[in-house]
Amino acid sequence: MKLLVILMLLAVATLALAEESKYTDRYDNVNIDEILNNRRLLVAYVKCILETGRCTAEGKELKKHIKDGMQTACSKCTQWQRQGARKVVKHIRENEPEYWQQMLTKYDPNGEFKSIYEPFLESDD
């Protein structure tokens, strides 16, 4: 009986730790399309990430995790965040390439993580 209780406690602890290893989903309801369709909003977020502008709460959270997300292929992202990251990066690459280059210079200056984040950005999972 004691063994069963210990195993259940370990299972609950493991689940709790697994949940903590994900980024917060607090901002998963942000309307990405609204931001992408409004250059002023998009540039404000990009400047926040580049540390050349002010940050909203959402921007601060994004900035806190962007390098880790690039280094781990967004392994701690929720499914919504994974899809959103791909959509945003595609938009920035196509419509704001100078900002994409600045982001790469800041977060992956030597291109050492490109082999990690590029396959992630191209996938559909």
Side-chain angles (χ1 to χ4, degrees):
M1 183 66 173
K2 285 183 182 180
L3 181 60
L4 180 60
V5 170
I6 291 171
L7 288 174
M8 290 185 71
L9 287 173
L10 283 173
V12 169
T14 301
L15 287 173
L17 287 174
E19 283 300 312
E20 288 178 16
S21 69
K22 294 286 187 189
Y23 302 136
T24 183
D25 64 354
R26 183 179 315 138
Y27 303 108
D28 280 9
N29 62 347
V30 170
N31 186 337
I32 290 176
D33 291 323
E34 180 181 346
I35 295 167
L36 296 180
N37 291 322
N38 183 329
R39 188 170 189 277
R40 183 183 57 80
L41 281 175
L42 176 63
V43 168
Y45 276 98
V46 170
K47 285 184 176 182
C48 164
I49 291 166
L50 294 172
E51 297 181 336
T52 60
R54 301 177 94 186
C55 293
T56 63
E58 297 93 341
K60 287 178 186 176
E61 190 69 27
L62 176 61
K63 183 170 65 171
K64 185 166 56 171
H65 300 296
I66 193 167
K67 188 169 188 171
D68 181 67
M70 290 174 78
Q71 294 174 351
T72 65
C74 217
S75 66
K76 298 177 188 172
C77 294
T78 64
Q79 187 61 34
W80 187 92
Q81 291 163 352
R82 293 171 71 80
Q83 292 169 344
R86 289 183 185 105
K87 185 174 193 172
V88 169
V89 169
K90 180 179 179 188
H91 180 88
I92 291 174
R93 282 178 165 175
E94 291 175 359
N95 299 290
E96 305 289 343
E98 69 283 355
Y99 282 128
W100 176 244
Q101 286 306 310
Q102 289 177 38
M103 291 168 67
L104 291 177
T105 298
K106 178 165 184 62
Y107 292 103
D108 190 20
N110 300 318
E112 63 186 296
F113 305 113
K114 188 173 185 172
S115 64
I116 298 170
Y117 61 77
E118 285 297 334
F120 160 73
L121 292 171
E122 299 302 321
S123 69
D124 291 337
D125 69 353

